[in-house]
Amino acid sequence: MNKWFGIGRVCKDTELNASGKVATNCIAVDRALKDKDGNKVTDFINLRWLGEKQAQFAKNYIQKGTKIGVSGSLCIDNYKDKDGNSKQSVYVSVQDIDFCESKSANRQNTSVQRPSSDDFMSIADDIGGELPFQ
């Protein structure tokens, strides 16, 4: 099984290739562990949307600073550069995406505030104190 999941901020505006069938971008994803000095470590993960419909969607909606959740397949392409040296290109072929928040909304403190537990009605109160499952 080849499945990759990550959440991060988009590093640049999405670029579309000449055919319009491939879009590329990258996201910055923080690692769970810190380096030896206690600093967080960030990886920059290359993304590709394959197919005209997905590529156009990415071009229209995936912009620098947006926080997204991505799932897809990890891909490694091997090639030779112009000098004949062997190289690798590592990227995630995007299959699913979720929008988490935008960086500008976070900066302006206009992000959606989560309701407190006091704002929710208890399920048990709603059905007379007894739960239909246990």
Side-chain angles (χ1 to χ4, degrees):
M1 177 194 281
N2 181 355
K3 195 72 166 174
W4 185 89
F5 299 93
I7 296 175
R9 290 215 185 269
V10 177
C11 302
K12 60 182 180 176
D13 288 334
T14 303
E15 297 174 2
L16 207 57
N17 75 346
S19 73
K21 295 182 180 179
V22 178
T24 58
N25 209 320
C26 72
I27 58 172
V29 178
D30 292 334
R31 291 188 189 180
L33 301 176
K34 296 183 178 188
D35 68 11
K36 64 180 179 173
D37 298 323
N39 300 314
K40 72 178 177 180
V41 177
T42 303
D43 292 308
F44 296 90
I45 310 297
N46 292 317
L47 305 176
R48 284 190 196 169
W49 286 266
L50 305 175
E52 189 172 352
K53 189 175 181 180
Q54 280 193 336
Q56 194 59 50
F57 174 85
K59 176 66 177 160
N60 291 339
Y61 297 104
I62 311 298
Q63 298 155 351
K64 182 178 179 179
T66 305
K67 189 172 185 180
I68 59 174
V70 174
S71 68
S73 300
L74 184 65
C75 301
I76 302 172
D77 289 345
N78 296 301
Y79 65 96
K80 294 199 183 279
D81 66 11
K82 63 182 178 179
D83 298 325
N85 299 316
S86 295
K87 299 282 183 174
Q88 284 189 332
S89 173
V90 179
Y91 62 93
V92 171
S93 179
V94 178
Q95 294 164 345
D96 293 306
I97 182 171
D98 289 309
F99 291 90
C100 299
E101 70 177 51
S102 71
K103 191 172 184 179
S104 60
N106 192 30
R107 276 191 197 150
Q108 297 170 7
N109 200 20
T110 58
S111 60
V112 176
Q113 293 190 7
R114 303 223 184 266
S116 71
S117 60
D118 296 336
D119 295 335
F120 291 100
M121 180 181 358
S122 167
I123 294 173
D125 290 343
D126 191 37
I127 59 172
E130 294 184 31
L131 295 175
F133 52 88
Q134 293 183 0

